[in-house]
Amino acid sequence: MTLFKQIYSLLFGLFVLVMTSLAYFQFTETRNFMANQMESELNNASTSLSLMLKPHLQTGDMVAAETLVNVIFEGGFYRKVSLTWLANKQVQEWENPIVVEGVPQWFIDLDLFTSQSSETVITSGWLQLANLKIEAHPGLGYQELWRVMNNTLLVISVLFLLSILVLHFRLKTLLTPLNEIAIHASEIAQRVFNPDMDLPKTAELKTVVEAINSMSGQLKQVFNTLDNEVDSLRRDNLIDGVSNLPNRQYLTGQMNSWLTDPGYGGLLLVKMDWLEEIHSKYGYQVRDETIRVLALRMQEQLPSIAESVIARIANTEFALLITKGERQDINLYLQALIRLINQEMSKAGCVPNRGFAIGVTERDGDMQASDLLSQADNALQHAATSNKASSWFDSQHLQEFNREQWRDRLVTAINQNQFVFQWQSVLDCETNEVLQRELYCRLNIDGKQVRAGQFMPYVELLSLGSQLDRCLLESVVKQGLLNINNEPVAVNLTHDSLQDPEFHTWLAAFLQKTQFAEQIYFEIPEMAANNNLAECIQLAELIRAGGAQLGIDHCGRQMGSLSYLQQLKPHYVKLDQSLAFYSNNQQNNELCRALVNIAKGLNIEVIMTAIENQQQLEQIQSLRTSGYQGYISAPTDVIRMDGAASMS
């Protein structure tokens, strides 16, 4: 029960007690007063009637006596009059039927008043003439008591209602700061730091608000410090000090992570010997300033053409990893890079189109980072020896299908739910129990099983992501994959689904009608959280409202702040695979530790990825993450409850 309800109930109870006591006091006092009043009136009536009957009794005029008795009946509430002649013991009785108007019978049946009577001996000198007895009726008492109690209860009810209204609004006003404190404290518990609350006028609450504001500020400072620590560790270990670009180690980690996921793009290696010419003419300071300007312009202009990671990997060598781009996009990127380099060479007084070489290669199927680097380096050496500005590595790879052929085959396979499922276990770091299972899928195309690494680039190119996610989720439910095991199933959502309002509407309806919605974990990549935060927040609220949970994949891959975690409030994060690569270095291991501390501080579970063997697992034990995932527990085929492999 809330504090408001407790105080309200207490004051309500006290008020009812006081009002009940007042009503009872008024009731008893009125009843006693009316009993005494009726007794007094009865005695007066007996005395008066005795005096009026005396002369008529002396003469024996019974008609006049009866007339006087009737007058008594008409003037008050009297039930019976008895007159006993003492001379001959003759008894005369007069009874009056009493009807009490305006008083309910149940009230009269309470017998609140005792029966009253008065006897008087009528004498003439020393001679006793008759004995007069009058019995009163309590109707007057009931009438007066009923009237008084009605008025009393009416006044008490009005006062009660007015008091309740005043109490209600006054309590709300007094407790509003306390309610704000509760909301503010709850938000702090969820690591949401709003501006400081205004100080209330109540002294006690003012002290509490000051303490809450102070605590909020300190916690906010702690998390900002952790975020800054992550940024500092990245800069110290993964950023080149001259160009402020990522270094070779960061590039290698990003390539390793990128190549493990389905994707398309390429790598450009650039060797700029003209920078050594700047060094020999003007010194290292001018050369370093030229490198900084060149790096800044590359960061400003090139990512708008295609998503990319730009790194300085040696003294005069740069690498540009295009993480999403077809051959024509890579070519546009290359031409923009050549123009940019020539512009900077002209500004520095060097001859354009000389003194640099660029090697270009495309991602092709299953590749390792070493393969990509080797191909780009071969192309670079060819450009340098042939005195060309750029050279492409010729993989002599012919595409199996063109774009439209891929569209036809993908649409058919997706709509017919031609999914073949595998999943990989996420294991608890302490008990090795399964925490969740991440779902992977293949598609049956032209009678062959096609891996996600082959078809997902075309799904993105052709904007079929939301259609794929819908059919995949429906197939998961249809095949009963959610209730094969007790562990939740993690499903990766595509970028198309994150930005598609129609998919959001469909997903809300899907979760409402799905019996095992709590068994679904939806994962979105960190890049999407950074680039489309508003849509991701909306999707996160929708997912939680439907009973499912949200996870962030590739957490820590981006160089930016992790403040998005406070707004998205995911259930867990999966650290990017590049961090497993960095963790081989003790200094970079501190970067992983700082990321884990930030997530844990926000009450978010942390899962380490790319764990390949027991030695690597032992290395991450000190990070105290919630779980781990990798080929130490390889993906397995999903076996349905009927014993068949999961395929629709």
Side-chain angles (χ1 to χ4, degrees), residues 29-96:
E29 288 297 312
T30 303
R31 185 180 65 174
N32 293 337
F33 173 78
M34 290 308 302
N36 294 333
Q37 182 70 19
M38 289 187 296
E39 183 179 4
S40 176
E41 289 185 1
L42 179 62
N43 292 333
N44 291 336
S46 179
T47 302
S48 300
L49 184 58
S50 298
L51 294 175
M52 289 186 292
L53 286 175
K54 179 179 177 180
H56 299 293
L57 293 177
Q58 289 175 342
T59 60
D61 189 353
M62 295 304 300
V63 176
E66 186 172 352
T67 301
L68 290 175
V69 171
N70 290 332
V71 171
I72 291 295
F73 281 148
E74 293 175 359
F77 286 88
Y78 302 103
R79 178 183 293 117
K80 184 177 180 180
V81 176
S82 298
L83 185 63
T84 303
W85 296 80
L86 297 179
N88 54 11
K89 303 300 181 180
Q90 181 181 355
V91 178
Q92 288 182 291
E93 293 181 347
W94 294 271
E95 292 187 8
N96 183 33

